[in-house]
């Protein structure tokens, strides 16, 4: 397994890196996009668009539509600011915005904690299999479910 060779961000540096990445891709960094990103960054477990919309509605004192949040989250995924956890229909912030790499997500079935690791042997084999089947721009999405150390104890 390989460690990250890129910079992981947190706090204000994470928001700045996300803003920079999005604007570098020709997109606008609006107040609502910043709010959605900041809310997503607060979660250490995958968050759904409904969770984010509910929390933003409460903090703003007016309703935020989940459909609007979905559109923003999809934009974030396309620009590598967030990762979609398919099996949970939820999202995790990318702590290294703009960096495109293959992650293997480990998701706890009990508490919902999600972590990721990089293993080039696994994802490289999957990319090669996709290319051999005639696919281009192959990007593996791997999710492993089980119990984290805390829940298994």
């Amino acid at each position: 397994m390989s460690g990250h060779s890129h910079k992981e961000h947190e706090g204000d540096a994470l928001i700045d890196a996300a803003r920079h990445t999005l604007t570098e891709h020709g997109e606008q960094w609006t107040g609502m996009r910043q709010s959605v990103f900041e809310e997503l960054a607060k979660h250490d477990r995958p968050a759904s668009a409904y969770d984010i919309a509910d929390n933003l509605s409460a903090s703003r004192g007016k309703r935020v539509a989940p459909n609007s949040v979905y559109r923003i989250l999809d934009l974030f995924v396309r620009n590598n600011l967030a990762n979609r956890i398919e099996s949970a229909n939820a999202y995790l912030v990318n702590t290294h915005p703009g960096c495109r790499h293959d992650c293997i997500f480990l998701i706890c079935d009990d508490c919902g904690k999600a972590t990721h690791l990089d293993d080039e042997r696994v994802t490289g084999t999957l990319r090669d299999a996709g290319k051999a089947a005639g696919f281009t721009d192959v990007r593996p999405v791997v999710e492993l479910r089980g119990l984290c150390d805390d829940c298994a104890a």
Side-chain angles (χ1 to χ4, degrees):
M1 282 179 274
S2 63
H4 290 293
S5 60
H6 46 262
K7 172 109 173 89
E8 301 256 352
H9 299 279
E10 61 184 30
D12 289 341
L14 176 61
I15 308 250
D16 290 342
R19 178 187 309 110
H20 175 77
T21 298
L22 197 62
T23 56
E24 204 172 57
H25 286 107
E27 299 287 349
Q28 292 186 9
W29 184 259
T30 65
M32 178 57 90
R33 289 175 180 176
Q34 179 164 333
S35 295
V36 170
F37 189 83
E38 287 174 349
E39 180 59 36
L40 181 62
K42 291 178 186 176
H43 296 267
D44 61 352
R45 289 165 173 70
S48 73
Y50 287 93
D51 295 334
I52 293 168
D54 287 347
N55 291 347
L56 289 177
S57 294
S59 66
R60 289 175 161 232
K62 63 180 183 178
R63 185 176 179 276
V64 173
N67 283 345
S68 297
V69 173
Y70 267 118
R71 284 192 293 277
I72 293 170
L73 290 170
D74 286 343
L75 174 73
F76 289 169
V77 169
R78 284 193 309 275
N79 288 280
N80 298 310
L81 303 183
N83 296 299
R84 181 175 159 88
I85 306 299
E86 301 289 338
S87 63
N89 193 25
Y91 301 81
L92 278 174
V93 75
N94 182 354
T95 56
H96 33 85
C99 183
R100 183 175 185 221
H101 68 285
D102 305 317
C103 286
I104 299 170
F105 293 100
L106 304 154
I107 304 156
C108 181
D109 285 328
D110 195 21
C111 71
K113 176 182 174 183
T115 58
H116 80 273
L117 59 92
D118 295 316
D119 188 331
E120 183 58 33
R121 295 167 303 169
V122 172
T123 57
T125 299
L126 291 170
R127 274 193 313 277
D128 291 345
K131 289 174 185 173
F135 282 75
T136 59
D137 197 25
V138 176
R139 184 174 182 189
V141 177
V142 180
E143 297 178 20
L144 300 174
R145 299 199 65 102
L147 294 177
C148 70
D149 286 343
D150 292 336
C151 293

